[in-house]
């Protein structure tokens, strides 16, 4: 199995995928709740010595986003709240989903969960997860009986 696949594995919830399919087919936009959040779309790629993961969260206030890491599981949770429109407003169309959104990623041992950087800009949450120093290729010095040292790649 290539190292890129082993480094970061994503947890999947087959029921969440089924819910997403049902929403697409039937047009249901039931809001996510804290006990049953809706999945948020994401992209993930490797860039040099780090992984970059981006989540679409348009209309979510920065203070409504939670990031937690526990035992190498990264949880991203966000809540899109309804706008305060007042009593005089009559809503004509309301298609944007509201409620709670969540995604969990399993971070392999080769990632440095202590140095994750997060940035939220233009409705996109971007996480940069560096590869741990211990997982990077390095040279190991070998001493010989005649006192010379030779470096070998590990």
């Amino acid at each position: 199995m290539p190292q890129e696949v082993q480094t970061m594995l994503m947890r999947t919830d087959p029921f969440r995928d089924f819910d997403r399919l049902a929403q697409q087919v039937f047009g249901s936009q039931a809001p996510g709740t804290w006990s049953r959040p809706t999945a948020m779309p994401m992209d993930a790629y490797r860039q040099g010595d780090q992984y970059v993961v981006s989540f679409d969260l348009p209309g979510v206030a920065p203070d409504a986003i939670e990031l937690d890491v526990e035992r190498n599981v990264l949880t991203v949770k966000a809540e899109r709240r309804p706008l305060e429109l007042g009593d005089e407003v009559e809503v004509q169309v309301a298609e944007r989903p509201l409620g709670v959104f969540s995604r969990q990623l399993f971070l392999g041992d080769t990632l440095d969960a202590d140095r994750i950087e997060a940035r939220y800009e233009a409705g996109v949450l971007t996480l940069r997860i560096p590869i741990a120093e211990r997982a990077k290729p390095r040279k190991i010095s070998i001493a010989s009986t005649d006192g010379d040292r030779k470096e070998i790649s590990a």
Side-chain angles (χ1 to χ4, degrees), residues 61-77:
D63 65 344
I65 300 172
E66 293 180 10
L67 295 174
D68 296 305
V69 177
E70 183 177 342
R71 295 186 181 171
N72 285 6
V73 176
L74 170 69
T75 302
V76 180
K77 215 170 221 187

Side-chain angles (χ1 to χ4, degrees), residues 101-116:
F101 303 86
S102 179
R103 198 75 183 249
Q104 286 188 320
L105 304 177
F106 178 78
L107 306 178
D109 292 333
T110 58
L111 297 179
D112 191 345
D114 294 330
R115 297 187 330 157
I116 296 174

Side-chain angles (χ1 to χ4, degrees), residues 20-116:
R20 188 178 320 154
L21 177 64
Q23 285 179 3
Q24 290 173 350
V25 172
F26 301 115
S28 168
Q29 300 253 343
T33 64
W34 284 101
S35 61
R36 188 156 175 80
T38 302
M40 64 185 80
M42 68 170 234
D43 292 333
Y45 56 91
R46 182 173 176 167
Q47 184 177 38
D49 286 343
Q50 64 184 354
Y51 278 89
V52 179
V53 185
S54 297
F55 300 91
D56 278 347
L57 295 170
V60 174
D63 65 344
I65 300 172
E66 293 180 10
L67 295 174
D68 296 305
V69 177
E70 183 177 342
R71 295 186 181 171
N72 285 6
V73 176
L74 170 69
T75 302
V76 180
K77 215 170 221 187
E79 182 177 14
R80 185 178 301 125
R81 300 173 181 129
L83 297 174
E84 297 295 328
L85 301 174
D87 296 334
E88 304 281 324
V89 176
E90 182 181 327
V91 176
Q92 300 298 310
V93 178
E95 294 179 345
R96 298 179 347 159
L98 301 174
V100 180
F101 303 86
S102 179
R103 198 75 183 249
Q104 286 188 320
L105 304 177
F106 178 78
L107 306 178
D109 292 333
T110 58
L111 297 179
D112 191 345
D114 294 330
R115 297 187 330 157
I116 296 174

